Amino acid sequence: MARNTMEAWIPEEYGSEVIQRVQQVSAVERWASPVPMNSQTKSVPRSAGVGVSMVSKGSAYSEDESVNDEVVLRVQKFGKAIRIAEEDIDDSLADVISVKQRDWATSYGKLIDNATLAVTAARGTHGGAFDSVYYLLSQADAGLGYVANSNIIKTAGSGAAVTYKNLSDVLSLLETGDYWDDANMVVFAHPYFRTVLRTILDDQKRPIFQESTNGTAGGGQGPAANLLFGLPLHFTLGAKTSTAPTSNPTGNPLIVVANRELLMLGKRSGPESIFIDGRSGLSALTDESILKMRARRAFALGHQKGAAVLEYAG
């Protein structure tokens, strides 16, 4: 990135190192359904289901009674200001600014996944603009016929291992519902579950989830992606519970199963950056330049019955 005094934010180009790093770290940025936004909030229609019935010749059509509903996407800004001494820029052979941008992208990728998937508290309590999948599944919604916590499975308690049945049961919460779609179902998991999948054994003490010779979980299912019961499996460090959005969550590891079309990620702007040169303005007194990085995102879950969570409570 060239040093300059331009005041405009510079969006990262598709394919840039920052974008690639965000895509590598964040499962949500890569797989959620993108919703372009040109304002701070945006209402998006929510599927509430439409019935169908047989109609006899000459008879009147019965009318559907489902409610025309919507979810609201609210934008949250994620950013950081980074001070860089002029000497570090001038004297170093390494591109200090590019390194800082990649580091920011790594933290942002974990933060956006945590904020959208795993925060346990309501948005009004932690300052964020939207609720996570975990929080929404922990709350009742009478209008949708959803009972609080009915799509959250927790392991037995401290020290209890994650079982094959736990993994099967979390999928079974969705498989017979209206929002299951083989082509769009995804699984997001904390890397803790890598060890879990390797160590679940059958009655003969053999690993149930075999790896192929190239290391792909599931045994010979191809090199493109990991699979869990045939569904694409993506690991993310953000999939741990926390009471507020953070890039370093320390709570319980989660597996989140969802229809990706219902994971609505509003994109207002970014990732983008602005470089404030240390040779002008107040920064001239310290010879420190400032690099600011930000992305503006919103999130909403289209329907609680289109997502389920397995929480390791050990």
Side-chain angles (χ1 to χ4, degrees):
M1 179 177 179
R3 293 164 54 191
N4 56 64
T5 57
M6 294 177 62
E7 296 181 356
W9 286 85
I10 303 174
E12 292 295 327
E13 295 183 0
Y14 185 80
S16 71
E17 288 189 41
V18 171
I19 296 295
Q20 291 182 50
R21 187 60 181 159
V22 168
Q23 295 281 312
Q24 290 168 0
V25 175
S26 171
V28 170
E29 280 278 349
R30 187 171 183 182
W31 295 103
S33 181
V35 180
M37 297 183 67
N38 295 313
S39 59
Q40 189 73 9
T41 61
K42 183 174 183 177
S43 296
V44 181
R46 169 161 56 190
S47 171
V50 173
V52 63
S53 57
M54 295 183 292
V55 181
S56 301
K57 184 178 180 180
S59 298
Y61 287 76
S62 60
E63 294 190 22
D64 180 70
E65 297 180 355
S66 61
V67 177
N68 294 326
D69 200 3
E70 64 183 19
V71 293
V72 178
L73 291 165
R74 299 177 178 86
V75 170
Q76 174 67 51
K77 181 163 58 178
F78 300 86
K80 206 70 173 179
I82 306 157
R83 288 187 177 273
I84 307 173
E86 284 287 304
E87 295 89 337
D88 291 335
I89 298 173
D90 295 335
D91 298 344
S92 176
L93 293 176
D95 187 345
V96 176
I97 295 175
S98 293
V99 171
K100 293 295 185 182
Q101 288 177 315
R102 288 196 299 271
D103 289 347
W104 178 90
T106 299
S107 295
Y108 166 72
K110 292 185 289 184
L111 176 57
I112 190 66
D113 281 8
N114 179 255
T116 55
L117 299 177
V119 173
T120 60
R123 61 185 176 86
T125 65
H126 57 62
F130 49 76
D131 291 318
S132 74
V133 171
Y134 186 98
Y135 175 77
L136 291 169
L137 295 185
S138 71
Q139 306 300 303
D141 191 324
L144 298 178
Y146 178 77
V147 178
N149 294 305
S150 59
N151 276 18
I152 298 178
I153 293 176
K154 295 185 180 182
T155 56
S158 180
V162 178
T163 65
Y164 184 90
K165 187 177 186 301
N166 292 150
L167 298 170
S168 177
D169 286 350
V170 73
L171 267 69
S172 70
L173 292 173
L174 305 179
E175 286 174 318
T176 58
D178 290 339
Y179 299 97
W180 180 273
D181 180 353
D182 285 337
N184 284 306
M185 302 307 294
V186 292
V187 182
F188 301 148
H190 188 271
Y192 166 82
F193 289 97
R194 290 182 185 272
T195 300
V196 169
L197 296 178
R198 288 195 297 264
T199 55
I200 293 180
L201 308 178
D202 62 17
D203 292 340
Q204 284 72 47
K205 306 301 181 183
R206 298 172 300 189
I208 290 176
F209 295 98
Q210 297 282 351
E211 287 190 350
S212 66
T213 54
N214 64 16
T216 302
Q221 298 182 83
N226 293 319
L227 299 173
L228 180 64
F229 298 123
L231 300 181
L233 171 61
H234 311 284
F235 293 101
T236 169
L237 288 166
K240 258 189 176 184
T241 58
S242 62
T243 55
T246 175
S247 59
N248 294 293
T250 58
N252 294 335
L254 303 179
I255 288 180
V256 179
V257 185
N259 182 327
R260 62 181 297 271
E261 290 191 341
L262 299 177
L263 301 175
M264 294 181 283
L265 184 67
K267 296 189 173 184
R268 179 67 179 89
S269 65
E272 55 192 350
S273 62
I274 186 170
F275 185 81
I276 303 171
D277 200 306
R279 295 172 296 184
S280 62
L282 293 177
S283 296
L285 297 176
T286 62
D287 290 335
E288 288 183 315
S289 297
I290 299 175
L291 172 67
K292 293 201 295 184
M293 299 285 299
R294 75 179 184 188
R296 299 172 68 195
R297 293 290 187 266
F299 177 77
L301 176 62
H303 202 293
Q304 279 88 326
K305 292 183 179 180
V309 167
L310 172 63
E311 179 179 1
Y312 173 64

